[in-house]
Amino acid sequence: MMQQVSSALGDFTLIDNDDLPLDNSLKKHTDSPYHWKPRYWAPWPLPKDYQLPNAGWTRPPQQPIKLTGVNVIDVEHGRILPDMTVKIRQGFFERVSRRNGNDDKFDIQAQPEWMEIDCKGLYMCPGLIDCHVHILAEAAGEDGWSDIMAAYRVAHDLKGMLGNGFTTIRDVGGATRHHREATEQWLIPGPRLYIGGPVLSQTGGHGDHSDRDAAPTPGMISDGNMGPMSIIVDGVDACLKAARKLMMAGADHIKICSSGGVLSPTDKVDSDQFTVPEIKAICDTVRSMGGTLVTAHCNTTQGARNAIEAGVMGIEHGSLIDEPTLKLMAEKGVHLTPTLIVQEMIVNGPLGAQVPKVSLEKAKVVAGATYEMIKIAHRVGVNIAYGTDIIVDVQLSEFDLRATILPSPVILKQATCNGAKVLGMKDKLGCIKEGAFADFLLLDANPLEDIKILNRPDTHLKAVVKDGRCVRSTVAGLEVEIPL
Ligand SMILES: [Zn+2]
């Protein structure tokens, strides 16, 4: 059956697979990314140009997109560039220019393959970056750990995150290169992933959830019910070996624990974890094996000082860190990723009922202090990223919490270009610039005026595009290529 359809792309004919001449059927499937179907079938005898399926889920090249009249958000400078034309080709911003500028090279008439979208009144925001997630956090079932069930559960959460506008996430404990590659290949629609594998923790540290009365099990995964979230290592040699193994397994970064934490049942929040030589062995390994950085779960001043002395370039949470140490972080370019929402969910929300009493008490100590710490860190010039440490449903709520202490343009920067710096992707992610990855949101309100609009996606989020491919859209003419 054939059907005539009119769209912003022009008039075209929809063809049912059954109607295709056999020798053409393989090609026709890949004519347009918008009508592409995975390949599950080949005619017999095989056509002359038949090739063995090589990753049959691989999507065809995307259609170039031209967005006109759009208000581009320059997050770095906290300003709007009004009425712009943005061109996207093969996953990158190819051109960001003034409307009606001298742009003959890209004349739409001369290049009819472009899809043109009128974005008058819409704001184009770089895709959001969450620098502190654990995609495996919800993957453990009541019946214990299963890698296969975990993969399906992770797919569910990744779709949700992307649909809410997070086009990039950094996993700081659990995710592997396989998760990263599955999203890169669009096997699972999800954000771009930066991964570090399991967290490294000392025995009795924040990552050690084993039975405190059981014999020590160095080098083992900490708790079967938590899955591969952390590895226990003690001593310089063991740290060296574990770090090398994680880098071999494809880690972008490595996360360690340099102070106590909230959800770990046996450690004190203000305990120092790992010695400086142990941390240094891990930092040296990441540097020498081509990783980005080592980041430390760390709530305390001393934990931060030990980590920085050893070469750590990122601090997670940071709740109780004092002003001189925050200044030291600013001087040395050490990034900070605070996580307010997870603390709120424990202290004032439903997670409080699920965690042990000892964790609830520890959460109360850090929760109040974090707001003040963030204000000081911002004042002294620390690069602060957006982090949540939490389930997908409330991942956007961190915006509302930060809005109680910081102006909207500052928070938007944290969730975009500041996060890109943490990932070593400045000018490639978290910005609308020529040559950057085409990850963006279209909004009908300006988040520089009120950042909280980002946490009302059903009202204000009109489209999500990752890698130049649209996954969510109510904008006329902008078709969804990959439904979530
Ligand atoms: Zn975490």
Side-chain angles (χ1 to χ4, degrees):
M1 208 184 118
M2 289 165 74
Q3 196 190 346
Q4 286 299 124
V5 178
S6 293
S7 81
L9 304 176
D11 296 338
F12 56 89
T13 307
L14 277 183
I15 305 170
D16 233 347
N17 291 342
D18 296 341
D19 295 331
L20 294 169
L22 285 183
D23 55 348
N24 268 340
S25 58
L26 296 176
K27 278 185 200 157
K28 285 288 178 189
H29 281 225
T30 58
D31 273 351
S32 155
Y34 293 88
H35 308 106
W36 173 86
K37 288 179 181 160
R39 187 173 128 191
Y40 296 120
W41 175 85
W44 189 264
L46 291 169
K48 283 195 176 56
D49 60 353
Y50 177 83
Q51 293 175 343
L52 282 171
N54 181 16
W57 50 86
T58 305
R59 301 194 65 84
Q62 60 193 238
Q63 182 157 13
I65 302 174
K66 175 181 178 181
L67 301 108
T68 59
V70 71
N71 299 309
V72 169
I73 304 173
D74 173 2
V75 289
E76 226 164 313
H77 302 98
R79 62 179 179 174
I80 297 291
L81 308 173
D83 201 15
M84 300 289 283
T85 296
V86 178
K87 292 175 174 132
I88 293 156
R89 191 197 286 269
Q90 300 312 336
F92 294 94
F93 292 115
E94 184 175 85
R95 183 100 167 153
V96 181
S97 60
R98 290 275 170 213
R99 189 178 172 89
N100 300 328
N102 184 11
D103 206 14
D104 290 340
K105 192 177 148 206
F106 296 97
D107 183 357
I108 205 89
Q109 301 300 328
Q111 301 194 22
E113 79 271 24
W114 288 88
M115 174 183 2
E116 183 167 354
I117 297 140
D118 179 5
C119 292
K120 201 161 177 285
L122 294 176
Y123 295 87
M124 179 187 263
C125 177
L128 305 174
I129 302 175
D130 187 337
C131 277
H132 191 124
V133 301
H134 302 271
I135 61 170
L136 294 177
E138 288 191 285
E142 284 172 6
D143 50 349
W145 182 260
S146 149
D147 284 345
I148 294 171
M149 286 304 288
Y152 290 120
R153 289 172 177 147
V154 165
H156 170 89
D157 281 4
L158 288 176
K159 282 185 195 180
M161 289 181 190
L162 184 57
N164 282 339
F166 290 95
T167 53
T168 300
I169 54 173
R170 180 179 63 147
D171 189 286
V172 284
T176 72
R177 74 178 189 282
H178 305 298
H179 297 105
R180 182 180 63 204
E181 282 158 21
T183 57
E184 263 172 32
Q185 295 172 23
W186 288 101
L187 266 170
I188 305 171
R192 249 172 241 294
L193 254 169
Y194 288 82
I195 62 98
V199 175
L200 297 184
S201 165
Q202 67 168 51
T203 295
H206 177 56
D208 190 350
H209 292 248
S210 62
D211 179 354
R212 67 196 311 175
D213 296 320
T217 51
M220 299 298 287
I221 285 167
S222 69
D223 177 353
N225 286 326
M226 290 286 283
M229 298 277 282
S230 53
I231 293 176
I232 311 307
V233 281
D234 296 287
V236 169
D237 288 350
C239 287
L240 205 56
K241 187 164 187 175
R244 286 175 178 166
K245 188 72 193 174
L246 292 184
M247 292 309 297
M248 179 187 172
D252 298 303
H253 54 266
I254 287 181
K255 159 123 168 271
I256 65 154
C257 305
S258 75
S259 88
V262 169
L263 293 179
S264 35
T266 63
D267 64 351
K268 296 181 175 59
V269 170
D270 61 357
S271 59
D272 307 332
Q273 300 188 1
F274 281 133
T275 61
V276 173
E278 285 173 316
I279 303 172
K280 187 170 181 303
I282 298 164
C283 292
D284 289 347
T285 305
V286 169
R287 201 178 309 114
S288 63
M289 291 183 77
T292 53
L293 50 73
V294 175
T295 196
H297 160 97
C298 177
N299 282 303
T300 64
T301 292
Q302 192 56 49
R305 292 222 164 231
N306 291 348
I308 294 165
E309 186 186 336
V312 163
M313 290 302 288
I315 297 290
E316 308 301 305
H317 316 299
S319 311
L320 308 169
I321 297 176
D322 66 11
E323 180 162 344
T325 308
L326 292 168
K327 280 186 179 154
L328 180 69
M329 287 172 62
E331 273 167 38
K332 290 193 170 274
V334 176
H335 311 288
L336 172 70
T337 308
T339 54
L340 292 169
I341 182 63
V342 68
Q343 297 167 2
E344 288 294 331
M345 288 287 277
I346 295 170
V347 175
N348 298 314
L351 275 182
Q354 288 183 23
V355 301
K357 194 162 173 289
V358 61
S359 291
L360 184 58
E361 292 308 314
K362 290 201 278 187
K364 285 178 186 164
V365 174
V366 297
T370 310
Y371 290 90
E372 195 54 30
M373 184 280 299
I374 294 175
K375 280 197 268 183
I376 298 168
H378 172 63
R379 175 160 52 75
V380 302
V382 177
N383 183 56
I384 304 174
Y386 188 93
T388 56
D389 211 359
I390 195 69
I391 48 179
V392 59
D393 289 7
V394 289
Q395 197 179 13
L396 288 163
S397 303
E398 181 82 14
F399 283 114
D400 294 64
L401 298 176
R402 293 197 186 191
T404 63
I405 49 169
L406 294 171
S408 291
V410 168
I411 302 167
L412 189 59
K413 219 174 146 179
Q414 295 176 351
T416 53
C417 56
N418 287 10
K421 285 185 202 163
V422 175
L423 302 168
M425 293 297 282
K426 186 175 179 298
D427 295 330
K428 287 285 172 193
L429 293 175
C431 60
I432 312 286
K433 284 183 183 171
E434 289 173 13
F437 286 98
D439 296 355
F440 65 91
L441 320 179
L442 292 175
L443 302 158
D444 73 351
N446 183 357
L448 292 174
E449 282 170 12
D450 180 8
I451 197 73
K452 297 198 293 295
I453 63 123
L454 292 173
N455 198 16
R456 295 202 287 282
D458 285 344
T459 310
H460 298 297
L461 181 56
K462 300 301 169 188
V464 179
V465 175
K466 180 200 138 194
D467 232 357
R469 299 186 192 270
C470 182
V471 296
R472 168 177 180 156
S473 172
T474 53
V475 176
L478 181 58
E479 286 189 66
V480 171
E481 183 189 325
I482 303 161
L484 297 175

